[in-house]
């Protein structure tokens, strides 16, 4: 299966992507990792992307699509792939289609904004070892202290409610319109993100027709 995984920040795409990758025996392809790999491997398109980044410019859609296509042509993607974090705009989605990359399904993980704000603003991480916590669903034994190393638990700068709402606004404005594009192509399926991981996974499997 060639799958695009989309949804707002904090919807649980990373976790569901990992579970799907194991279930389907295919790789999750992250745009950020792809970009860094292309630059590290000094491919022609990687060098071009690096030039834009060094000049402080956004890497253009056609360059990103070329990097994606280059990555998806590698042998480990022959059985399928999960694209996470791409496409981010309708223009990128159109460019991906025009480049000849075949997509079987686009899964949109649906979670309400207020649930995401609560979920992300409740996250904490250890300032020493980076262990993740949540003051609602995954509390440490002692408030503010890491169970593993005794380090202080901190909130990431981008996990405060106003920053989260800004990120959600960007998603709704720039990325969410992709759903209409893929819906017209008959590729869009949706799954509701629930509070419990197992419930979300069940919804995802049902949306993709993976239920046994």
């Amino acid at each position: 299966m060639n799958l695009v995984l989309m949804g707002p920040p904090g919807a649980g795409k990373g976790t569901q992507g990992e579970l799907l990758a194991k279930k389907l025996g295919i790789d999750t392809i992250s745009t950020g990792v792809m970009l860094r790999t292309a630059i590290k491997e000094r491919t022609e398109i990687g060098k071009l992307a690096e030039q834009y980044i060094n000049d402080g410019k956004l890497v253009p859609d056609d360059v990103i699509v070329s990097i994606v296509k280059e990555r998806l042509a590698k042998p480990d993607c022959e059985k399928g792939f999960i694209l996470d974090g791409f496409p981010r705009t309708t223009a990128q989605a159109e460019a991906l289609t025009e480049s000849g990359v075949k997509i079987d399904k686009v899964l949109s993980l649906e979670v309400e904004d207020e649930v995401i704000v609560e979920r992300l603003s409740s996250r904490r991480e250890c300032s020493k070892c980076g262990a993740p916590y949540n003051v609602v669903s995954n509390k440490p034994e002692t408030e503010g202290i890491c169970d593993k190393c005794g380090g202080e638990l901190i909130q990431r700068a981008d996990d405060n409610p106003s920053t989260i709402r800004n990120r959600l606004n960007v998603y709704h404005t720039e990325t969410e319109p992709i759903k209409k594009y893929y819906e017209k192509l008959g590729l869009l399926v949706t799954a509701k993100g629930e509070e419990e991981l197992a419930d979300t996974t069940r919804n995802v499997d049902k949306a993709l027709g993976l239920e046994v």
Side-chain angles (χ1 to χ4, degrees), residues 155-175:
Q155 184 180 45
R156 282 169 34 180
D158 59 352
D159 278 348
N160 71 72
S162 63
T163 305
I164 295 163
R165 285 195 173 89
N166 286 340
R167 288 165 65 197
L168 286 167
N169 285 337
V170 169
Y171 173 77
H172 292 314
T173 306
E174 294 183 8
T175 304

Side-chain angles (χ1 to χ4, degrees), residues 70-87:
E70 193 173 70
R71 174 66 184 86
L72 298 183
K74 293 191 175 180
D76 63 339
C77 291
E78 282 177 9
K79 290 189 295 179
F81 53 80
I82 300 167
L83 272 180
D84 180 9
F86 184 89

Side-chain angles (χ1 to χ4, degrees), residues 17 21 27 64 86 101 116 120 141 183 194 198 209:
D27 285 340
I64 294 282
F86 184 89
V101 171
I116 285 174
L120 294 187
E141 287 176 18
E183 193 172 22
E194 309 278 4

Side-chain angles (χ1 to χ4, degrees), residues 19-199:
L19 292 170
L20 283 168
K22 285 177 186 171
K23 206 172 293 175
L24 298 169
I26 57 180
D27 285 340
T28 300
I29 311 293
S30 154
T31 319
V33 173
M34 247 186 294
L35 201 53
R36 288 191 292 274
T37 303
I39 291 169
K40 189 179 174 184
E41 290 179 353
R42 307 298 294 157
T43 66
E44 286 306 311
I45 206 77
K47 285 189 273 189
L48 185 59
E50 187 177 37
Q51 198 175 325
Y52 280 103
I53 292 167
N54 289 344
D55 290 343
K57 296 175 183 173
L58 285 173
V59 181
D61 287 348
D62 60 335
V63 176
I64 294 282
V65 170
S66 296
I67 286 172
V68 170
K69 198 172 179 185
E70 193 173 70
R71 174 66 184 86
L72 298 183
K74 293 191 175 180
D76 63 339
C77 291
E78 282 177 9
K79 290 189 295 179
F81 53 80
I82 300 167
L83 272 180
D84 180 9
F86 184 89
R88 285 185 187 273
T89 63
T90 304
Q92 288 181 351
E94 289 169 347
L96 189 65
T97 302
E98 286 162 14
S99 75
V101 171
K102 182 179 177 288
I103 300 297
D104 296 312
K105 282 185 182 173
V106 176
L107 174 69
S108 176
L109 209 50
E110 306 282 321
V111 183
E112 290 174 9
D113 284 7
E114 287 313 306
V115 173
I116 285 174
V117 171
E118 185 184 351
R119 186 185 289 178
L120 294 187
S121 59
S122 302
R123 291 197 303 195
R124 301 291 183 273
E125 65 179 34
C126 177
S127 56
K128 283 186 181 176
C129 72
Y133 292 88
N134 189 295
V135 296
V136 176
S137 60
N138 181 27
K139 296 178 184 179
E141 287 176 18
T142 306
E143 188 178 342
I145 303 296
C146 177
D147 296 341
K148 295 178 181 176
C149 73
E152 182 192 359
L153 300 188
I154 56 169
Q155 184 180 45
R156 282 169 34 180
D158 59 352
D159 278 348
N160 71 72
S162 63
T163 305
I164 295 163
R165 285 195 173 89
N166 286 340
R167 288 165 65 197
L168 286 167
N169 285 337
V170 169
Y171 173 77
H172 292 314
T173 306
E174 294 183 8
T175 304
E176 202 162 34
I178 293 173
K179 283 159 60 176
K180 284 185 181 175
Y181 172 75
Y182 282 122
E183 193 172 22
K184 283 179 185 172
L185 295 178
L187 300 177
L188 183 72
V189 293
T190 61
K192 189 171 187 286
E194 309 278 4
E195 197 172 325
E196 295 295 326
L197 174 62
D199 294 335

